[in-house]
């Protein structure tokens, strides 16, 4: 197929190039077109060879917004500490003028947007596993497929610099359209992939949990979240397409994400929204406190009822509500929080859930909200600084991007970030999976350990590992 751009787009590109030359400043040009329905994972797989480790996937729990990015037209990253890493991403993104040509009204989730994430703790010394992940990294995709409420859009982005030539710019758009129509792969979805487990420092983790309960009893802090990691080695190379496909099918009430970074995929199915901003509407979520799912409907309801009335889990949850409400109060008006939590169920686990809503104050950006919220006590603890310090000192692993914010933002300050839990880092035949638990005064190390096992199940199952009760 040979693609030639229509006259309007060519003129648009020419104008953008002239503007870049006049202002001596690069411009992001984005063309958006509604296209025929396309399977987003076929689009993902089509980029395997040409996108060279530069792809991402994002899907909301309702699956009413899915996007797949191929190729990095722009990378914005930094290794700054604390607040600065959020501000630097925002500053760099704002630096570029953006010009959008669209055959539809500008649909949120199409056009120029950044996808990426942050590590949990930029101060903790790096580990070899996470070596190639910056403390903050965002990409503007070259080509992006967005499925918004059953409509499919193709976005093509190009940074046009003052030194670019018109022909080359036009070719970029034509080539990207052509590539997005080629699906040379047969996608088999064989599920079973045998693995051996290397449990990682379990006894150290159990000791850390016990020590944490003592710190809490002696009033050093109220809560801390401690995580552990499990390493798996599979007999076959892990197929990221299959893993994402399985997560999308098996975890219908969770966000599904994949950030491909060279040879590694950071993948997960998280139920935990950090913050969503659509125009001025803001929604954050408190999700903490857990119990397993029942085998029958009656048993499941009984367990849910038990969770809603369990003091230990309510303490774990309420600490999160208090902190998130304070953070949202600091940047929003009309903040509303229901008085009692309800249940949020995923395939393997049920959680206590409280939504926090507000209207963004003038001039407050999405990334400044992410910065205020991260880490919530569902992943860090309370008080925040004390808990992070304890995690840094006692947790026998390096979190990398696990439990950090991951998500997207556009040029109008809309977007959404989730907390990257129920996740794993995949490379070749290896997978590192992560899971943590909120530790409060009454925590029992053995039950917390069992809770991490339940939280590891979604990834384990998506990887094709056999999941049974004793795992
Ligand atoms: C830290 C994790 O879960 C958090 C989110 C929901 C419930 C949690 C809990 O009940 O302990 C955790 O705070 C994880 O899944 O790795
Ligand atoms: Mg818990």
């Amino acid at each position: 197929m040979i693609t030639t751009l229509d006259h309007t787009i060519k003129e648009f590109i020419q104008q953008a190039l002239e503007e870049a030359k006049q202002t001596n400043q690069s411009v992001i040009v984005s063309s958006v077109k509604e296209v025929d329905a396309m399977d987003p994972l076929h689009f993902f797989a089509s980029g395997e060879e040409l996108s060279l480790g530069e792809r991402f996937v994002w899907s909301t729990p309702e699956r009413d917004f899915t996007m797949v990015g191929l190729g990095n037209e722009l990378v914005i990253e930094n290794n700054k500490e604390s607040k600065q890493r959020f501000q630097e991403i925002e500053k760099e993104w704002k630096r570029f003028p953006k010009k959008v040509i669209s055959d539809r009204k500008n649909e949120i989730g199409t056009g120029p947007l950044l996808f990426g994430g942050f590590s949990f703790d930029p101060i903790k010394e790096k580990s070899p596993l996470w070596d190639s992940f910056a403390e903050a990294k965002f990409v503007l995709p070259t080509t992006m497929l967005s499925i918004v409420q059953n409509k499919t859009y193709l976005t093509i982005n190009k940074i046009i610099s003052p030194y670019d030539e018109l022909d080359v710019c036009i070719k970029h758009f034509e080539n990207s359209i052509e590539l997005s129509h080629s699906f040379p792969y047969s996608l088999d979805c064989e599920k079973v992939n045998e693995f051996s487990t290397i449990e990682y420092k379990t006894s150290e983790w159990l000791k850390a949990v016990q020590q944490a309960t003592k710190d809490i009893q002696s009033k050093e802090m109220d809560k801390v979240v401690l995580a552990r990691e499990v390493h798996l080695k599979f007999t076959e190379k892990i197929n990221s397409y299959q893993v994402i496909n399985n997560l999308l099918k098996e975890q219908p009430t969770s966000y599904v994400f994949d950030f491909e970074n060279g040879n590694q995929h950071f993948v997960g199915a998280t139920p935990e929204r950090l913050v969503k901003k659509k125009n001025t509407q803001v929604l954050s979520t408190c999700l903490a406190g857990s119990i397993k799912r029942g085998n029958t409907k009656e048993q499941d309801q009984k367990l849910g009822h038990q969770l809603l009335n369990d003091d230990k889990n309510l303490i774990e949850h309420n600490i999160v509500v208090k902190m998130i409400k304070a953070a949202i109060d600091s940047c929003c008006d009309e903040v509303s929080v229901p008085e009692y939590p309800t249940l949020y169920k995923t395939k393997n686990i049920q959680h206590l859930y409280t939504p926090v809503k507000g209207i963004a104050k003038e001039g407050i950006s999405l990334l400044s909200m992410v910065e205020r919220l991260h880490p919530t006590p569902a992943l860090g603890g309370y008080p925040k600084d004390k808990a992070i310090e304890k995690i840094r000192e006692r947790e026998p692993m390096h979190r990398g991007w696990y439990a950090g914010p991951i998500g997207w933002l556009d040029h109008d300050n809309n977007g959404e970030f989730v907390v990257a839990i129920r996740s794993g880092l995949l490379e070749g035949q290896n997978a590192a999976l992560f899971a943590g638990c909120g530790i409060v005064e009454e925590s029992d190390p053995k039950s917390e350990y069992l809770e991490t096992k339940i939280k590891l199940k979604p990834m384990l199952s998506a990887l094709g590992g056999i999941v049974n009760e004793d795992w």
Side-chain angles (χ1 to χ4, degrees), residues 191 193 195 230 232 234 238-240 242-244 246-248 250-251 255-258 265-270 347-348 402 420-427 430-435 452-467 471:
K191 226 194 141 185
N193 193 355
F195 69 91
V230 178
L232 311 172
F234 288 83
I238 298 165
N239 180 336
S240 57
Q242 281 179 17
V243 177
I244 300 163
N246 292 338
L247 288 174
L248 286 167
E250 293 172 7
Q251 302 296 331
Y255 293 84
V256 170
F257 63 85
D258 175 28
H265 287 265
F266 181 49
V267 186
T270 175
K347 180 166 183 253
N348 309 94
Y402 158 75
I421 52 173
R422 317 293 145 84
S423 56
L425 187 61
L426 319 179
E427 183 174 3
N430 299 299
L433 310 185
F434 317 96
T452 61
K453 281 187 145 191
I454 303 176
K455 288 169 173 166
L456 290 166
K457 278 184 182 178
M459 277 305 297
L460 191 61
S461 166
L463 281 157
I466 317 276
V467 181
W471 192 81

Side-chain angles (χ1 to χ4, degrees), residues 223 225 272 287-290 313 316 351 378-379 402 421-422 434-438 451 455:
K223 175 181 176 180
V225 177
E272 186 123 12
L287 202 78
S290 316
N313 277 290
E316 216 182 306
H351 293 299
L379 288 309
Y402 158 75
I421 52 173
R422 317 293 145 84
F434 317 96
C437 288
E451 193 173 305
K455 288 169 173 166

Side-chain angles (χ1 to χ4, degrees), residues 219-443:
K219 307 278 179 250
E220 267 197 77
M221 56 187 168
D222 295 340
K223 175 181 176 180
V224 65
V225 177
L226 291 176
R228 67 188 190 99
E229 73 184 342
V230 178
H231 288 191
L232 311 172
K233 179 146 189 106
F234 288 83
T235 43
E236 309 271 332
K237 181 177 182 286
I238 298 165
N239 180 336
S240 57
Y241 166 84
Q242 281 179 17
V243 177
I244 300 163
N245 198 27
N246 292 338
L247 288 174
L248 286 167
K249 279 201 226 132
E250 293 172 7
Q251 302 296 331
T253 54
S254 293
Y255 293 84
V256 170
F257 63 85
D258 175 28
F259 186 85
E260 188 181 28
N261 194 34
N263 295 331
Q264 293 171 308
H265 287 265
F266 181 49
V267 186
T270 175
E272 186 123 12
R273 175 190 301 111
L274 187 63
V275 61
K276 175 179 178 176
K277 184 171 174 293
K278 189 175 181 188
N279 304 318
T280 58
Q281 285 174 47
V282 174
L283 171 62
S284 181
T285 302
C286 314
L287 202 78
S290 316
I291 204 159
K292 65 181 178 183
R293 297 293 308 262
N295 292 330
T296 62
K297 202 174 161 202
E298 290 71 33
Q299 197 194 12
D300 197 55
Q301 279 175 351
K302 212 168 144 195
L303 285 164
H305 184 75
Q306 194 181 321
L307 179 63
L308 285 167
N309 294 286
D310 180 65
D311 283 346
K312 182 253 173 192
N313 277 290
L314 285 167
I315 293 170
E316 216 182 306
H317 184 77
N318 290 338
I319 291 173
V320 180
V321 178
K322 197 170 88 182
M323 181 270 178
I324 292 190
K325 178 168 185 305
I328 296 295
D329 265 334
S330 74
C331 54
C332 290
D333 296 319
E334 299 173 43
V335 176
S336 67
V337 189
E339 203 171 335
Y340 301 106
T342 52
L343 294 173
Y344 194 95
K345 297 182 191 231
T346 71
K347 180 166 183 253
N348 309 94
I349 197 163
Q350 20 194 340
H351 293 299
L352 294 174
Y353 167 84
T354 304
V356 177
K357 290 183 185 160
I359 303 293
K361 285 184 181 155
E362 184 100 23
I364 298 278
S365 71
L366 176 61
L367 282 182
S368 86
M369 292 182 191
V370 173
E371 185 257 307
R372 281 162 215 248
L373 286 162
H374 174 73
T376 76
L379 288 309
Y382 195 84
K384 177 166 150 173
D385 291 343
K386 186 79 204 168
I388 295 177
E389 202 183 288
K390 289 282 177 192
I391 293 168
R392 211 175 278 149
E393 193 183 308
R394 300 251 172 82
E395 206 169 64
M397 65 174 277
H398 192 294
R399 291 191 179 192
W401 279 32
Y402 158 75
I406 192 163
W408 63 277
L409 66 146
D410 70 9
H411 62 301
D412 285 329
N413 218 354
N414 299 303
E416 184 163 27
F417 279 80
V418 295
V419 182
I421 52 173
R422 317 293 145 84
S423 56
L425 187 61
L426 319 179
E427 183 174 3
Q429 290 167 257
N430 299 299
L433 310 185
F434 317 96
C437 288
I439 310 303
V440 291
E441 191 167 351
E442 287 174 49
S443 284

Side-chain angles (χ1 to χ4, degrees), residues 96-281:
F96 295 93
K98 285 115 189 149
K99 295 189 135 310
V100 186
I101 179 161
S102 174
D103 63 351
R104 291 280 174 277
K105 68 174 178 25
N106 286 347
E107 188 75 65
I108 292 180
T110 68
L113 60 81
L114 288 182
F115 183 83
F118 300 89
S119 65
F120 178 79
D121 176 9
I123 293 172
K124 185 151 175 166
E125 213 175 292
K126 275 212 159 159
S127 73
L129 187 66
W130 292 99
D131 216 21
S132 59
F133 278 75
E135 305 298 343
K137 178 169 179 176
F138 282 79
V139 300
L140 168 76
T142 306
T143 318
M144 182 173 81
L145 191 77
S146 315
I147 304 175
V148 191
Q149 316 266 22
N150 292 326
K151 289 195 168 181
T152 308
Y153 302 89
L154 187 71
T155 298
I156 295 164
N157 295 308
K158 165 123 186 83
I159 299 189
I160 296 191
S161 87
Y163 314 103
D164 271 330
E165 280 167 26
L166 184 61
D167 288 359
V168 178
C169 296
I170 290 172
K171 254 277 126 316
H172 170 96
F173 284 86
E174 287 173 346
N175 288 347
S176 305
I177 293 172
E178 270 169 42
L179 285 174
S180 68
H181 290 297
S182 55
F183 301 116
Y185 299 94
S186 72
L187 302 164
D188 87 284
C189 262
E190 192 51 50
K191 226 194 141 185
V192 178
N193 193 355
E194 304 256 329
F195 69 91
S196 52
T197 325
I198 310 151
E199 275 273 8
Y200 205 64
K201 300 180 183 167
T202 310
S203 59
E204 266 178 83
W205 188 80
L206 290 167
K207 254 190 241 150
V209 172
Q210 189 150 42
Q211 192 57 49
T213 57
K214 288 194 185 133
D215 293 341
I216 296 165
Q217 278 154 23
S218 63
K219 307 278 179 250
E220 267 197 77
M221 56 187 168
D222 295 340
K223 175 181 176 180
V224 65
V225 177
L226 291 176
R228 67 188 190 99
E229 73 184 342
V230 178
H231 288 191
L232 311 172
K233 179 146 189 106
F234 288 83
T235 43
E236 309 271 332
K237 181 177 182 286
I238 298 165
N239 180 336
S240 57
Y241 166 84
Q242 281 179 17
V243 177
I244 300 163
N245 198 27
N246 292 338
L247 288 174
L248 286 167
K249 279 201 226 132
E250 293 172 7
Q251 302 296 331
T253 54
S254 293
Y255 293 84
V256 170
F257 63 85
D258 175 28
F259 186 85
E260 188 181 28
N261 194 34
N263 295 331
Q264 293 171 308
H265 287 265
F266 181 49
V267 186
T270 175
E272 186 123 12
R273 175 190 301 111
L274 187 63
V275 61
K276 175 179 178 176
K277 184 171 174 293
K278 189 175 181 188
N279 304 318
T280 58
Q281 285 174 47

